[in-house]
Amino acid sequence: DNVSAASRGVRFMETEVPASNPPAASAESTADGTGQSATSSTGDQEKTPSVGLLPGETVVKEGKAAILFPSANEVFYNPVQEFNRDLTCAVITEFARELLAQRGVKVVVPGEQERVVVSLSEETNEAEAQAEEKNGSEEPAVKAAVGEKCEHGLRVLEGLAASGLRSVRFALEVPGLQSVTANDFSAKAAALIARNAQYNGVSHLLQASCRDASMLMYDMRGKKDRYDVIDLDPYGSPTSFLDAAVQAVSEGGLLCITCTDMAVMAGNSGETCYSKYGSVSIKAKYCHEMALRVILHSLDQRAGVYQRYIQPLLSVSVDFYIRVFVRVFTGQATVKNSASKQALVYNCVGCGAFHLQRMGRRTSNGKHMKYSAATGPPVGPECEHCGQRHQLGGPIWAESIHDLEFVQKVLSAVSGNPSRFGTSKRIEGVLSMVTEELEDVPLYYTVDNLSSTIHCNTPPLLQFRSALLHAGHRVSLSHACKNAIKTDAPPAAIWDIMRCWEKINPVKREKLSPTSPAFKILSTEPSFEACFTVREDANPQSRKRHLTRFQENPQAFWGPKARAKKGNSEPEKRNVDQGRKHSPRLRASAHRSSNCHSCKTLVETLSPTHPTVRTWPSDYHLFLKLKEYLSGR
């Protein structure tokens, strides 16, 4: 399940690249498995303008793009998120394939020979294969290739583009685009985006913009001005841009949203999460999937204000961030279903059992739908299993977080063309797990946490899954956590299985406190006898095939990067003044380095007997040295 650092496709070139050799002419940067160039034709390569490197700049290569990047941290870039950008290119390509087919345009992906349907099941569905053949026989007359402007293609906006790497990759790797707008509020970033577009020979597709992202999207709310795809990958939370984004995306358009403020979304600051997303996060084992459902709830709630609703295509929790791909539609009748799609979460602080309470209720009444208030709560004042109290979290999105049919198409495209992306193996592994997840089961348990609660040995994953299957329940893994168990079994059935496991691996009962959750749970006899014999269907296909499902840290200092600098290279004021009220030594040192004339005047007027100086007995020598230093300046 591990991915070595060598398999990652990001490469840093510390030597300067001559301006006369743009990346389009490089064999390494243009190879796509078929020998085709990243640009549309050889003539385009010859017309590519020469862009020289400025002092201190290096070239960063990723995918088919080569980005001019300053050595100083003036524009944000994180190489770890190559998986994020690869996955986005794959998703937008499939979205373009579906949408443009309705407009009579066929997209042509480099290196893709034919559509291959990849199924994780052992048996091949011949009917689906024949349907694919039949659909492929009627090819549209118009074809759209990468690097070419398509008049009926997608209009894409990257609201927070930084260096423009993502937008350049869209232009070079995603077919069927009409235009790509790469926007950033920083003037330095916007200038760099324009140079990178010219350097990669995609100025005919990519336009740089220097505006506030929200204002730009608000200006494009008109039905004829909206974007087909909006990508938001901010440093931290995207909440300040969501209201504008749900208005500026076209009917059935695609929103691609990244959240990196996982401390807030994973339960460390529930009140902050509520102020940003309108949902209280819980610090529980299922926090990563809950984070996905929190952002989907926030998107649906904001879209509902404008009589719009969302349809999630793919939602993933990877590394240190979450990423969701949703389509946005308009429909007043469907928006009424929104309350019944959200749920509150009751989480036991003792044993971790959780229950969901829908916010609304809808029932079918012939051709009409009746809406009413939900009934509850689903739990009592205390947990029925361990006697502890419940935490209340949410509301969260309680419907499916993926469109499995769409995910299968993306998986098929990536598996059939593995040379297209540097992280293809990992994409295949993650998407394979996504297709195996139970669609209608929100959140999950972890086997190690269940064992820790009753202080017993942890059962092997396959044995625990088999016990649930023997008991007649459905079960799956989750891409969001390595030891996760998603199941439709109620908490009572799960604890019965754990009680049966404890009988095989007994716990020293005399050491348990009578008030502990373990004592309460083990004091009850199981209602059935669990069978731990391993079943064949307990091991999912992605695990059998040893796909790359979970990546370990590939290098040192891996993870989120520092925010880009806003000013010049001078020390920022907050660093100079930090701790000034607490440490005279730091204060004096800071003033020495910053040539503070007011301090010079103050020290010259003070004497060793001054009351201020007498408060510094341990730093009296520092005072004398500072006075001597400043008097000689």
Side-chain angles (χ1 to χ4, degrees), residues 606-620 623-624:
L606 290 178
S607 65
T609 58
H610 193 279
T612 304
V613 177
R614 285 204 298 270
T615 62
W616 299 355
S618 61
D619 292 294
Y620 178 70
F623 166 79
L624 294 179

Side-chain angles (χ1 to χ4, degrees), residues 330-390:
T330 305
Q332 186 176 6
T334 309
V335 170
K336 291 182 179 181
N337 297 331
S338 181
S340 59
K341 295 177 181 178
Q342 321 301 323
L344 295 173
V345 181
Y346 289 84
N347 180 75
C348 175
V349 299
C351 64
F354 59 85
H355 300 266
L356 268 65
Q357 169 65 63
R358 296 278 178 158
M359 296 288 291
R361 180 182 175 189
R362 70 177 187 266
T363 53
S364 178
N365 185 12
K367 295 183 178 179
H368 303 283
M369 193 71 69
K370 183 180 179 182
Y371 300 93
S372 58
T375 56
V379 295
E382 296 178 348
C383 176
E384 61 178 314
H385 309 292
C386 67
Q388 300 292 317
R389 69 186 189 278
H390 289 96

Side-chain angles (χ1 to χ4, degrees), residues 62-79:
E62 184 181 293
K64 291 183 173 55
I67 300 298
L68 306 176
F69 192 77
S71 297
N73 188 30
E74 296 176 348
V75 179
F76 184 78
Y77 167 69
N78 191 352

Side-chain angles (χ1 to χ4, degrees), residues 464-480:
F464 190 82
R465 285 171 55 92
S466 297
L468 285 167
L469 291 171
H470 283 301
H473 303 291
R474 294 180 298 140
V475 62
S476 76
L477 300 180
S478 171
H479 78 279

Side-chain angles (χ1 to χ4, degrees), residues 120-408:
L120 292 177
S121 61
E122 298 289 349
E123 299 178 0
T124 305
N125 193 329
E126 296 181 2
E128 287 185 9
Q130 291 175 2
E132 286 284 334
E133 263 183 43
K134 185 177 179 182
N135 293 337
S137 61
E138 300 175 3
E139 295 186 2
V142 181
K143 294 186 179 181
V146 294
E148 295 179 354
K149 188 171 184 177
C150 178
E151 291 301 324
H152 301 287
L154 305 182
R155 297 177 66 246
V156 181
L157 168 67
E158 185 186 3
L160 310 158
S163 64
L165 170 60
R166 190 183 299 256
S167 292
V168 170
R169 289 196 59 186
F170 290 164
L172 291 174
E173 300 177 32
V174 179
L177 301 183
Q178 181 182 347
S179 65
V180 179
T181 302
N183 176 77
D184 199 282
F185 191 67
S186 167
K188 288 184 178 180
L192 184 62
I193 292 168
R195 294 181 64 235
N196 280 324
Q198 190 178 9
Y199 188 76
N200 287 269
V202 292
S203 298
H204 61 292
L205 274 177
L206 196 159
Q207 296 85 38
S209 170
C210 183
R211 293 189 62 187
D212 178 89
S214 294
M215 297 309 298
L216 173 60
M217 289 187 285
Y218 279 132
D219 288 345
M220 305 301 286
R221 288 177 295 175
K223 290 186 178 180
K224 295 182 180 180
D225 300 324
R226 293 174 180 172
Y227 295 99
D228 297 298
V229 179
I230 295 180
D231 189 302
L232 296 175
D233 189 354
Y235 189 95
S237 172
T239 50
S240 58
F241 308 104
L242 297 185
D243 182 77
V246 296
Q247 296 181 71
V249 69
S250 63
E251 181 65 17
L254 180 66
L255 283 182
C256 315
I257 310 291
T258 300
C259 304
T260 57
D261 55 335
M262 291 304 293
V264 171
M265 304 193 74
N268 286 348
S269 302
E271 69 285 352
T272 305
C273 186
Y274 182 79
S275 66
K276 290 184 175 182
Y277 298 95
S279 178
V280 177
S281 57
I282 295 178
K283 196 170 185 178
K285 291 297 181 180
Y286 50 72
C287 60
H288 288 150
E289 183 180 324
M290 187 172 185
L292 289 170
R293 296 182 178 277
V294 165
I295 182 61
L296 291 175
H297 158 74
S298 186
L299 279 168
D300 188 66
Q301 189 177 48
R302 296 177 196 229
V305 175
Y306 307 102
Q307 301 301 307
R308 312 193 84 183
Y309 62 94
I310 67 167
Q311 177 191 333
L313 294 182
L314 174 63
S315 309
V316 292
S317 171
V318 290
D319 301 332
F320 54 87
Y321 61 90
I322 58 175
R323 179 76 163 167
V324 296
F325 302 89
V326 303
R327 296 186 71 178
V328 181
F329 297 91
T330 305
Q332 186 176 6
T334 309
V335 170
K336 291 182 179 181
N337 297 331
S338 181
S340 59
K341 295 177 181 178
Q342 321 301 323
L344 295 173
V345 181
Y346 289 84
N347 180 75
C348 175
V349 299
C351 64
F354 59 85
H355 300 266
L356 268 65
Q357 169 65 63
R358 296 278 178 158
M359 296 288 291
R361 180 182 175 189
R362 70 177 187 266
T363 53
S364 178
N365 185 12
K367 295 183 178 179
H368 303 283
M369 193 71 69
K370 183 180 179 182
Y371 300 93
S372 58
T375 56
V379 295
E382 296 178 348
C383 176
E384 61 178 314
H385 309 292
C386 67
Q388 300 292 317
R389 69 186 189 278
H390 289 96
Q391 287 177 317
L392 183 63
I396 62 172
W397 178 265
E399 297 292 306
S400 175
I401 60 176
H402 314 292
D403 182 335
L404 293 188
E405 184 180 352
F406 180 83
V407 174
Q408 187 67 56

Side-chain angles (χ1 to χ4, degrees), residues 97-131:
R97 196 192 304 271
E98 285 188 5
L99 195 63
L100 296 188
Q102 302 171 10
R103 304 177 185 178
V105 179
K106 180 183 179 181
V107 299
V108 179
V109 181
E112 190 174 270
Q113 301 298 330
E114 58 180 344
R115 298 289 301 180
V116 179
V117 178
V118 176
S119 178
L120 292 177
S121 61
E122 298 289 349
E123 299 178 0
T124 305
N125 193 329
E126 296 181 2
E128 287 185 9
Q130 291 175 2

